[in-house]
Amino acid sequence: MKQLIAALLCLPLAAFAVSPGQAAPPTAGPLLSGDGEAGLPALRGQVVLVDFFASWCGPCAQSLPVLEKLRNEMQAQYPGRFEVLAVNVDTDPKDGRKFLRRNPISYPAISDPDGAIADGWQLPGMPTSFLVDGNGVVVLRHEGYRSGDEQKLRGEIQAVLGAK
Amino acid sequence: MGRLLLSVMALSLLSGCVAVQPWKRGELARQSMAWDPDPLQAGLADHVYFSKEAASGRAGLGGGGCGCN
């Protein structure tokens, strides 16, 4: 019964979040820094880690440098087959740009100030990242960030890339 | 137990509370959402209050003052 109550309490957040096996919701938008656009359609065929972050999110400051390192490592290992797509959910993109100046990344970051993209993914928390395969299907949902999480992500990414 | 749970869930639907979505929690982190957006101003207001009312601790503590502030 306790488990049922706990499950019911978590229901509002987790029930509608995009889960592995589902198609990735539309994810494209203007680049946070500079001109142009980026998104999943342009990265079709590659394995993409869609990472939602915000300037007010403490763990995001820890996860971004780790993802940057992981991305460079994976791109060296699997050239042209892996990319990270960051989605900034700050209502004021200036906050997101300021955050990126403190935590620079070399992968594309798009801006989602009205939360339309985040709404489609129904994030269960911040930060949350989703691993999307080359066919646009979600294969992993990773909530939050703790030191050492990159080991799990690396394993999952390698499993998806190795299976191709 | 099941009926009680169902009642609680049904009642929760009638409340006016709206859950702030995780990606919109930046709004809650805004300075304007704090009880005291300006700590310096709040400290000054506290000092003026307990000096005038002779009630050290302002609204946060019980009891009165000696009037000797």
Side-chain angles (χ1 to χ4, degrees), chain B:
Chain B
M1 186 65 179
R3 192 171 289 177
L4 176 71
L5 198 64
L6 199 64
S7 307
V8 170
M9 288 180 76
L11 282 172
S12 70
L13 293 175
L14 298 175
S15 74
C17 297
V18 174
V20 178
Q21 299 290 1
W23 58 94
K24 289 182 178 164
R25 288 188 185 150
E27 301 297 328
L28 302 179
R30 284 185 180 197
Q31 202 176 13
S32 56
M33 293 294 277
W35 286 115
D36 289 319
D38 185 345
L40 192 65
Q41 187 70 36
L44 178 65
D46 263 357
H47 188 78
V48 170
Y49 183 87
F50 72 65
S51 297
K52 285 171 77 176
E53 300 293 326
S56 187
R58 205 183 172 192
L61 288 175
C66 64
C68 51
N69 276 319

